[in-house]
PDB file of all heavy atoms in Angstrom:
ATOM      1  N   LEU A   9      84.266  96.534 108.272  1.00 97.00           N
ATOM      2  CA  LEU A   9      83.244  97.101 109.141  1.00 97.00           C
ATOM      3  C   LEU A   9      83.547  96.706 110.584  1.00 97.00           C
ATOM      4  O   LEU A   9      83.300  97.495 111.541  1.00 97.00           O
ATOM      5  CB  LEU A   9      81.843  96.721 108.699  1.00 97.00           C
ATOM      6  CG  LEU A   9      81.468  97.166 107.293  1.00 97.00           C
ATOM      7  CD1 LEU A   9      80.015  96.742 107.003  1.00 97.00           C
ATOM      8  CD2 LEU A   9      81.668  98.695 107.079  1.00 97.00           C
ATOM      9  N   GLN A  10      83.930  95.439 110.814  1.00 97.00           N
ATOM     10  CA  GLN A  10      84.305  95.013 112.131  1.00 97.00           C
ATOM     11  C   GLN A  10      85.469  95.745 112.687  1.00 97.00           C
ATOM     12  O   GLN A  10      85.522  96.127 113.844  1.00 97.00           O
ATOM     13  CB  GLN A  10      84.560  93.490 112.111  1.00 97.00           C
ATOM     14  CG  GLN A  10      83.272  92.691 111.837  1.00 97.00           C
ATOM     15  CD  GLN A  10      83.587  91.220 111.614  1.00 97.00           C
ATOM     16  OE1 GLN A  10      84.757  90.765 111.727  1.00 97.00           O
ATOM     17  NE2 GLN A  10      82.568  90.442 111.230  1.00 97.00           N
ATOM     18  N   GLN A  11      86.526  95.984 111.833  1.00 97.00           N
ATOM     19  CA  GLN A  11      87.646  96.716 112.283  1.00 97.00           C
ATOM     20  C   GLN A  11      87.276  98.196 112.592  1.00 97.00           C
ATOM     21  O   GLN A  11      87.801  98.789 113.548  1.00 97.00           O
ATOM     22  CB  GLN A  11      88.699  96.717 111.174  1.00 97.00           C
ATOM     23  CG  GLN A  11      89.343  95.317 110.969  1.00 97.00           C
ATOM     24  CD  GLN A  11      90.317  95.353 109.777  1.00 97.00           C
ATOM     25  OE1 GLN A  11      90.314  96.238 108.888  1.00 97.00           O
ATOM     26  NE2 GLN A  11      91.137  94.323 109.650  1.00 97.00           N
ATOM     27  N   LEU A  12      86.324  98.706 111.854  1.00 98.00           N
ATOM     28  CA  LEU A  12      85.849 100.060 112.080  1.00 98.00           C
ATOM     29  C   LEU A  12      85.243 100.133 113.493  1.00 98.00           C
ATOM     30  O   LEU A  12      85.550 101.077 114.220  1.00 98.00           O
ATOM     31  CB  LEU A  12      84.862 100.431 110.987  1.00 98.00           C
ATOM     32  CG  LEU A  12      84.307 101.867 111.065  1.00 98.00           C
ATOM     33  CD1 LEU A  12      85.408 102.926 110.903  1.00 98.00           C
ATOM     34  CD2 LEU A  12      83.251 102.117 110.007  1.00 98.00           C
ATOM     35  N   GLU A  13      84.403  99.177 113.836  1.00 98.00           N
ATOM     36  CA  GLU A  13      83.791  99.219 115.167  1.00 98.00           C
ATOM     37  C   GLU A  13      84.827  99.060 116.247  1.00 98.00           C
ATOM     38  O   GLU A  13      84.732  99.685 117.274  1.00 98.00           O
ATOM     39  CB  GLU A  13      82.662  98.135 115.281  1.00 98.00           C
ATOM     40  CG  GLU A  13      82.019  98.090 116.670  1.00 98.00           C
ATOM     41  CD  GLU A  13      80.646  97.610 116.673  1.00 98.00           C
ATOM     42  OE1 GLU A  13      80.252  96.887 115.756  1.00 98.00           O
ATOM     43  OE2 GLU A  13      79.942  97.923 117.713  1.00 98.00           O
ATOM     44  N   ALA A  14      85.847  98.216 115.980  1.00 98.00           N
ATOM     45  CA  ALA A  14      86.925  98.035 116.983  1.00 98.00           C
ATOM     46  C   ALA A  14      87.632  99.358 117.269  1.00 98.00           C
ATOM     47  O   ALA A  14      87.973  99.634 118.415  1.00 98.00           O
ATOM     48  CB  ALA A  14      87.917  97.016 116.468  1.00 98.00           C
ATOM     49  N   SER A  15      87.751 100.192 116.246  1.00 98.00           N
ATOM     50  CA  SER A  15      88.385 101.480 116.445  1.00 98.00           C
ATOM     51  C   SER A  15      87.515 102.415 117.283  1.00 98.00           C
ATOM     52  O   SER A  15      87.991 103.151 118.138  1.00 98.00           O
ATOM     53  CB  SER A  15      88.652 102.182 115.057  1.00 98.00           C
ATOM     54  OG  SER A  15      89.652 101.457 114.365  1.00 98.00           O
ATOM     55  N   PHE A  16      86.179 102.290 117.114  1.00 98.00           N
ATOM     56  CA  PHE A  16      85.234 103.093 117.902  1.00 98.00           C
ATOM     57  C   PHE A  16      85.329 102.581 119.360  1.00 98.00           C
ATOM     58  O   PHE A  16      85.311 103.398 120.326  1.00 98.00           O
ATOM     59  CB  PHE A  16      83.832 102.947 117.359  1.00 98.00           C
ATOM     60  CG  PHE A  16      83.447 103.998 116.349  1.00 98.00           C
ATOM     61  CD1 PHE A  16      83.800 103.784 115.008  1.00 98.00           C
ATOM     62  CD2 PHE A  16      82.835 105.134 116.734  1.00 98.00           C
ATOM     63  CE1 PHE A  16      83.462 104.734 114.036  1.00 98.00           C
ATOM     64  CE2 PHE A  16      82.495 106.113 115.765  1.00 98.00           C
ATOM     65  CZ  PHE A  16      82.784 105.892 114.421  1.00 98.00           C
ATOM     66  N   VAL A  17      85.379 101.299 119.512  1.00 98.00           N
ATOM     67  CA  VAL A  17      85.422 100.742 120.905  1.00 98.00           C
ATOM     68  C   VAL A  17      86.682 101.253 121.655  1.00 98.00           C
ATOM     69  O   VAL A  17      86.626 101.620 122.759  1.00 98.00           O
ATOM     70  CB  VAL A  17      85.417  99.220 120.823  1.00 98.00           C
ATOM     71  CG1 VAL A  17      85.733  98.634 122.274  1.00 98.00           C
ATOM     72  CG2 VAL A  17      84.113  98.703 120.378  1.00 98.00           C
ATOM     73  N   ALA A  18      87.790 101.259 120.912  1.00 98.00           N
ATOM     74  CA  ALA A  18      89.076 101.649 121.495  1.00 98.00           C
ATOM     75  C   ALA A  18      89.167 103.139 121.781  1.00 98.00           C
ATOM     76  O   ALA A  18      89.841 103.522 122.736  1.00 98.00           O
ATOM     77  CB  ALA A  18      90.186 101.200 120.567  1.00 98.00           C
ATOM     78  N   HIS A  19      88.534 103.963 120.964  1.00 98.00           N
ATOM     79  CA  HIS A  19      88.876 105.384 120.966  1.00 98.00           C
ATOM     80  C   HIS A  19      87.705 106.314 121.259  1.00 98.00           C
ATOM     81  O   HIS A  19      87.890 107.526 121.407  1.00 98.00           O
ATOM     82  CB  HIS A  19      89.540 105.828 119.642  1.00 98.00           C
ATOM     83  CG  HIS A  19      90.772 105.047 119.320  1.00 98.00           C
ATOM     84  ND1 HIS A  19      91.928 105.274 120.018  1.00 98.00           N
ATOM     85  CD2 HIS A  19      91.031 104.225 118.355  1.00 98.00           C
ATOM     86  CE1 HIS A  19      92.852 104.487 119.467  1.00 98.00           C
ATOM     87  NE2 HIS A  19      92.358 103.825 118.494  1.00 98.00           N
ATOM     88  N   HIS A  20      86.469 105.804 121.326  1.00 98.00           N
ATOM     89  CA  HIS A  20      85.298 106.669 121.322  1.00 98.00           C
ATOM     90  C   HIS A  20      85.288 107.699 122.472  1.00 98.00           C
ATOM     91  O   HIS A  20      84.800 108.822 122.348  1.00 98.00           O
ATOM     92  CB  HIS A  20      83.988 105.909 121.306  1.00 98.00           C
ATOM     93  CG  HIS A  20      83.716 105.168 122.588  1.00 98.00           C
ATOM     94  ND1 HIS A  20      82.938 105.700 123.616  1.00 98.00           N
ATOM     95  CD2 HIS A  20      84.154 103.972 122.997  1.00 98.00           C
ATOM     96  CE1 HIS A  20      82.826 104.852 124.587  1.00 98.00           C
ATOM     97  NE2 HIS A  20      83.597 103.770 124.279  1.00 98.00           N
ATOM     98  N   GLN A  21      85.866 107.357 123.639  1.00 98.00           N
ATOM     99  CA  GLN A  21      85.871 108.293 124.768  1.00 98.00           C
ATOM    100  C   GLN A  21      86.708 109.551 124.522  1.00 98.00           C
ATOM    101  O   GLN A  21      86.470 110.592 125.045  1.00 98.00           O
ATOM    102  CB  GLN A  21      86.357 107.584 126.037  1.00 98.00           C
ATOM    103  CG  GLN A  21      85.365 106.536 126.540  1.00 98.00           C
ATOM    104  CD  GLN A  21      85.917 105.889 127.775  1.00 98.00           C
ATOM    105  OE1 GLN A  21      87.058 105.717 127.986  1.00 98.00           O
ATOM    106  NE2 GLN A  21      84.960 105.511 128.662  1.00 98.00           N
ATOM    107  N   ASP A  22      87.670 109.451 123.528  1.00 98.00           N
ATOM    108  CA  ASP A  22      88.520 110.565 123.226  1.00 98.00           C
ATOM    109  C   ASP A  22      88.081 111.267 121.889  1.00 98.00           C
ATOM    110  O   ASP A  22      88.645 112.321 121.519  1.00 98.00           O
ATOM    111  CB  ASP A  22      89.945 110.091 122.975  1.00 98.00           C
ATOM    112  CG  ASP A  22      90.492 109.481 124.278  1.00 98.00           C
ATOM    113  OD1 ASP A  22      90.332 110.063 125.333  1.00 98.00           O
ATOM    114  OD2 ASP A  22      91.108 108.396 124.216  1.00 98.00           O
ATOM    115  N   VAL A  23      87.065 110.747 121.192  1.00 98.00           N
ATOM    116  CA  VAL A  23      86.778 111.222 119.833  1.00 98.00           C
ATOM    117  C   VAL A  23      85.502 112.087 119.891  1.00 98.00           C
ATOM    118  O   VAL A  23      84.451 111.683 120.362  1.00 98.00           O
ATOM    119  CB  VAL A  23      86.561 110.080 118.869  1.00 98.00           C
ATOM    120  CG1 VAL A  23      86.075 110.530 117.482  1.00 98.00           C
ATOM    121  CG2 VAL A  23      87.867 109.289 118.678  1.00 98.00           C
ATOM    122  N   ALA A  24      85.646 113.312 119.347  1.00 98.00           N
ATOM    123  CA  ALA A  24      84.504 114.208 119.212  1.00 98.00           C
ATOM    124  C   ALA A  24      83.711 113.901 117.970  1.00 98.00           C
ATOM    125  O   ALA A  24      82.502 114.017 118.014  1.00 98.00           O
ATOM    126  CB  ALA A  24      85.073 115.696 119.174  1.00 98.00           C
ATOM    127  N   ALA A  25      84.336 113.590 116.864  1.00 99.00           N
ATOM    128  CA  ALA A  25      83.672 113.410 115.641  1.00 99.00           C
ATOM    129  C   ALA A  25      84.449 112.590 114.661  1.00 99.00           C
ATOM    130  O   ALA A  25      85.720 112.510 114.737  1.00 99.00           O
ATOM    131  CB  ALA A  25      83.316 114.752 114.954  1.00 99.00           C
ATOM    132  N   PHE A  26      83.718 111.895 113.759  1.00 99.00           N
ATOM    133  CA  PHE A  26      84.319 111.160 112.607  1.00 99.00           C
ATOM    134  C   PHE A  26      83.962 112.006 111.412  1.00 99.00           C
ATOM    135  O   PHE A  26      82.826 112.342 111.111  1.00 99.00           O
ATOM    136  CB  PHE A  26      83.681 109.793 112.538  1.00 99.00           C
ATOM    137  CG  PHE A  26      84.463 108.848 111.554  1.00 99.00           C
ATOM    138  CD1 PHE A  26      85.162 107.787 112.074  1.00 99.00           C
ATOM    139  CD2 PHE A  26      84.454 109.073 110.228  1.00 99.00           C
ATOM    140  CE1 PHE A  26      85.846 106.914 111.223  1.00 99.00           C
ATOM    141  CE2 PHE A  26      85.169 108.255 109.347  1.00 99.00           C
ATOM    142  CZ  PHE A  26      85.852 107.169 109.834  1.00 99.00           C
ATOM    143  N   ILE A  27      85.043 112.356 110.593  1.00 98.00           N
ATOM    144  CA  ILE A  27      84.828 113.120 109.369  1.00 98.00           C
ATOM    145  C   ILE A  27      85.192 112.338 108.216  1.00 98.00           C
ATOM    146  O   ILE A  27      86.246 111.623 108.204  1.00 98.00           O
ATOM    147  CB  ILE A  27      85.622 114.454 109.430  1.00 98.00           C
ATOM    148  CG1 ILE A  27      85.345 115.322 108.183  1.00 98.00           C
ATOM    149  CG2 ILE A  27      87.123 114.278 109.692  1.00 98.00           C
ATOM    150  CD1 ILE A  27      85.882 116.719 108.255  1.00 98.00           C
ATOM    151  N   ILE A  28      84.385 112.389 107.165  1.00 98.00           N
ATOM    152  CA  ILE A  28      84.660 111.628 105.934  1.00 98.00           C
ATOM    153  C   ILE A  28      83.896 112.276 104.775  1.00 98.00           C
ATOM    154  O   ILE A  28      82.887 112.960 104.929  1.00 98.00           O
ATOM    155  CB  ILE A  28      84.229 110.194 106.081  1.00 98.00           C
ATOM    156  CG1 ILE A  28      84.819 109.292 104.945  1.00 98.00           C
ATOM    157  CG2 ILE A  28      82.730 110.015 106.157  1.00 98.00           C
ATOM    158  CD1 ILE A  28      84.685 107.801 105.194  1.00 98.00           C
ATOM    159  N   GLU A  29      84.419 112.118 103.565  1.00 98.00           N
ATOM    160  CA  GLU A  29      83.754 112.461 102.333  1.00 98.00           C
ATOM    161  C   GLU A  29      82.804 111.299 101.960  1.00 98.00           C
ATOM    162  O   GLU A  29      83.287 110.208 101.798  1.00 98.00           O
ATOM    163  CB  GLU A  29      84.720 112.717 101.176  1.00 98.00           C
ATOM    164  CG  GLU A  29      85.730 113.842 101.464  1.00 98.00           C
ATOM    165  CD  GLU A  29      87.035 113.597 100.692  1.00 98.00           C
ATOM    166  OE1 GLU A  29      87.842 112.773 101.130  1.00 98.00           O
ATOM    167  OE2 GLU A  29      87.171 114.184  99.604  1.00 98.00           O
ATOM    168  N   PRO A  30      81.520 111.540 101.852  1.00 98.00           N
ATOM    169  CA  PRO A  30      80.632 110.392 101.649  1.00 98.00           C
ATOM    170  C   PRO A  30      80.699 109.847 100.206  1.00 98.00           C
ATOM    171  O   PRO A  30      80.732 110.656  99.221  1.00 98.00           O
ATOM    172  CB  PRO A  30      79.226 111.024 101.928  1.00 98.00           C
ATOM    173  CG  PRO A  30      79.421 112.453 101.700  1.00 98.00           C
ATOM    174  CD  PRO A  30      80.753 112.737 102.102  1.00 98.00           C
ATOM    175  N   ILE A  31      80.867 108.592 100.103  1.00 98.00           N
ATOM    176  CA  ILE A  31      80.782 107.801  98.860  1.00 98.00           C
ATOM    177  C   ILE A  31      82.013 107.945  97.960  1.00 98.00           C
ATOM    178  O   ILE A  31      82.503 106.977  97.381  1.00 98.00           O
ATOM    179  CB  ILE A  31      79.488 108.094  98.062  1.00 98.00           C
ATOM    180  CG1 ILE A  31      78.219 107.807  98.941  1.00 98.00           C
ATOM    181  CG2 ILE A  31      79.437 107.232  96.782  1.00 98.00           C
ATOM    182  CD1 ILE A  31      78.148 106.399  99.454  1.00 98.00           C
ATOM    183  N   VAL A  32      82.483 109.178  97.786  1.00 98.00           N
ATOM    184  CA  VAL A  32      83.624 109.422  96.939  1.00 98.00           C
ATOM    185  C   VAL A  32      84.722 110.195  97.780  1.00 98.00           C
ATOM    186  O   VAL A  32      84.501 111.342  98.151  1.00 98.00           O
ATOM    187  CB  VAL A  32      83.324 110.230  95.682  1.00 98.00           C
ATOM    188  CG1 VAL A  32      84.572 110.479  94.848  1.00 98.00           C
ATOM    189  CG2 VAL A  32      82.286 109.513  94.849  1.00 98.00           C
ATOM    190  N   GLN A  33      85.855 109.562  98.033  1.00 97.00           N
ATOM    191  CA  GLN A  33      87.011 110.286  98.557  1.00 97.00           C
ATOM    192  C   GLN A  33      87.739 110.901  97.388  1.00 97.00           C
ATOM    193  O   GLN A  33      88.246 110.233  96.570  1.00 97.00           O
ATOM    194  CB  GLN A  33      87.901 109.328  99.334  1.00 97.00           C
ATOM    195  CG  GLN A  33      87.290 108.794 100.649  1.00 97.00           C
ATOM    196  CD  GLN A  33      88.222 107.918 101.396  1.00 97.00           C
ATOM    197  OE1 GLN A  33      88.519 106.759 100.956  1.00 97.00           O
ATOM    198  NE2 GLN A  33      88.749 108.346 102.479  1.00 97.00           N
ATOM    199  N   ASN A  34      87.699 112.207  97.297  1.00 94.00           N
ATOM    200  CA  ASN A  34      88.104 112.894  96.055  1.00 94.00           C
ATOM    201  C   ASN A  34      89.566 113.106  95.875  1.00 94.00           C
ATOM    202  O   ASN A  34      90.246 112.214  95.371  1.00 94.00           O
ATOM    203  CB  ASN A  34      87.297 114.189  95.967  1.00 94.00           C
ATOM    204  CG  ASN A  34      85.862 113.945  95.774  1.00 94.00           C
ATOM    205  OD1 ASN A  34      85.380 113.822  94.633  1.00 94.00           O
ATOM    206  ND2 ASN A  34      85.049 113.918  96.854  1.00 94.00           N
ATOM    207  N   ALA A  35      90.133 114.186  96.287  1.00 90.00           N
ATOM    208  CA  ALA A  35      91.574 114.516  96.032  1.00 90.00           C
ATOM    209  C   ALA A  35      92.540 113.536  96.690  1.00 90.00           C
ATOM    210  O   ALA A  35      93.692 113.500  96.364  1.00 90.00           O
ATOM    211  CB  ALA A  35      91.883 115.939  96.442  1.00 90.00           C
ATOM    212  N   GLY A  36      92.049 112.711  97.642  1.00 86.00           N
ATOM    213  CA  GLY A  36      92.918 111.719  98.213  1.00 86.00           C
ATOM    214  C   GLY A  36      93.054 110.457  97.387  1.00 86.00           C
ATOM    215  O   GLY A  36      93.776 109.548  97.801  1.00 86.00           O
ATOM    216  N   GLY A  37      92.443 110.406  96.246  1.00 90.00           N
ATOM    217  CA  GLY A  37      92.622 109.197  95.404  1.00 90.00           C
ATOM    218  C   GLY A  37      91.373 108.801  94.600  1.00 90.00           C
ATOM    219  O   GLY A  37      91.384 107.718  93.968  1.00 90.00           O
ATOM    220  N   MET A  38      90.345 109.595  94.575  1.00 96.00           N
ATOM    221  CA  MET A  38      89.110 109.239  93.834  1.00 96.00           C
ATOM    222  C   MET A  38      88.633 107.865  94.159  1.00 96.00           C
ATOM    223  O   MET A  38      88.391 107.041  93.275  1.00 96.00           O
ATOM    224  CB  MET A  38      89.347 109.443  92.344  1.00 96.00           C
ATOM    225  CG  MET A  38      89.537 110.890  91.928  1.00 96.00           C
ATOM    226  SD  MET A  38      87.960 111.784  92.107  1.00 96.00           S
ATOM    227  CE  MET A  38      88.545 113.444  91.630  1.00 96.00           C
ATOM    228  N   ASN A  39      88.464 107.595  95.437  1.00 96.00           N
ATOM    229  CA  ASN A  39      88.049 106.266  95.910  1.00 96.00           C
ATOM    230  C   ASN A  39      86.504 106.265  96.012  1.00 96.00           C
ATOM    231  O   ASN A  39      85.900 106.989  96.779  1.00 96.00           O
ATOM    232  CB  ASN A  39      88.662 106.013  97.266  1.00 96.00           C
ATOM    233  CG  ASN A  39      88.254 104.664  97.872  1.00 96.00           C
ATOM    234  OD1 ASN A  39      88.040 103.670  97.119  1.00 96.00           O
ATOM    235  ND2 ASN A  39      88.166 104.592  99.201  1.00 96.00           N
TER     236      ASN A  39
END
């Protein structure tokens, strides 16, 4: 979670949106 925030700090000015499959990442590996 700390690394995730570090990515936001570094890139947020260039980022329009964060996209993710909630709770289950499906065809990418059933995570």
Side-chain angles (χ1 to χ4, degrees):
L9 300 182
Q10 293 171 4
Q11 292 174 344
L12 183 62
E13 180 153 19
S15 295
F16 271 85
V17 171
H19 301 293
H20 69 94
Q21 291 181 328
D22 298 314
V23 173
F26 193 110
I27 181 170
I28 195 169
E29 301 153 279
I31 304 301
V32 180
Q33 291 181 290
N34 290 274
M38 291 292 177
N39 179 34

